[in-house]
Amino acid sequence: MPFTPNAETRSLPESYYFKLENAERDRAGVAIDRAIARLRESNSTRETPLMLTDEVIVGRPDESIIETAKKWGADLVALGSHGYRGFKRFLLGSVSQAVASHAPCSVEVVRKPTRG
């Protein structure tokens, strides 16, 4: 997701934003590589293998997920939810809610387990 400067960070040099975005892309790449490795391990015995990609898509998460689902002709989008409520949800928004409302296919939202 591209970094959007706010009032507190506008005075930082442009190179800072470039470095920050590159660091986040690298972090996303590592997470994707780990996930793909785990999926490949569990996928090795499937009759019909999953199609996997390591593409990093930059943009607003809700819009990017919906557009990618349309482009791929997806039957299902599965995504996680932090389960934020109230003011925190208002501040952070809800990607899962936006995707569930606007995706061209079924959406499965997996909630983060709560500690009881």
Side-chain angles (χ1 to χ4, degrees), residues 7 37 76:
L76 173 72

Side-chain angles (χ1 to χ4, degrees), residues 25-44:
R25 263 184 225 241
D26 291 345
R27 213 171 105 192
V30 168
I32 289 169
D33 290 344
R34 273 193 307 218
I36 285 178
R38 288 181 68 187
L39 287 167
R40 282 200 174 117
E41 283 175 23
S42 64
N43 191 32
S44 62

Side-chain angles (χ1 to χ4, degrees), residues 15 23 29 31 33 36 47 67 83 87 89 116:
S15 63
D33 290 344
I36 285 178
E47 191 173 306
E67 288 307 311
F87 190 65
R89 181 173 179 185

Side-chain angles (χ1 to χ4, degrees), residues 1-6 8-10 12-29 56 58:
M1 176 172 182
F3 178 76
T4 305
N6 59 33
E8 296 168 350
T9 60
R10 286 184 210 266
L12 296 171
E14 192 172 317
S15 63
Y16 176 81
Y17 304 117
F18 179 74
K19 288 178 185 175
L20 183 64
E21 192 167 328
N22 281 340
E24 289 304 311
R25 263 184 225 241
D26 291 345
R27 213 171 105 192
V56 175
V58 177

Side-chain angles (χ1 to χ4, degrees), residues 15-107:
S15 63
Y16 176 81
Y17 304 117
F18 179 74
K19 288 178 185 175
L20 183 64
E21 192 167 328
N22 281 340
E24 289 304 311
R25 263 184 225 241
D26 291 345
R27 213 171 105 192
V30 168
I32 289 169
D33 290 344
R34 273 193 307 218
I36 285 178
R38 288 181 68 187
L39 287 167
R40 282 200 174 117
E41 283 175 23
S42 64
N43 191 32
S44 62
T45 60
R46 287 178 53 103
E47 191 173 306
T48 308
L50 297 172
M51 223 172 56
L52 304 171
T53 179
D54 62 356
E55 180 182 6
V56 175
I57 300 169
V58 177
R60 284 190 40 178
D62 54 346
E63 292 174 356
S64 297
I65 292 167
I66 293 164
E67 288 307 311
T68 302
K70 288 177 183 174
K71 183 173 96 177
W72 289 356
D75 296 320
L76 173 72
V77 172
L79 55 127
S81 172
H82 291 287
Y84 293 137
R85 303 241 184 270
F87 190 65
K88 201 171 204 179
R89 181 173 179 185
F90 172 74
L91 287 176
L92 298 174
S94 176
V95 172
S96 57
Q97 182 177 355
V99 173
S101 299
H102 301 290
C105 58
S106 296
V107 176

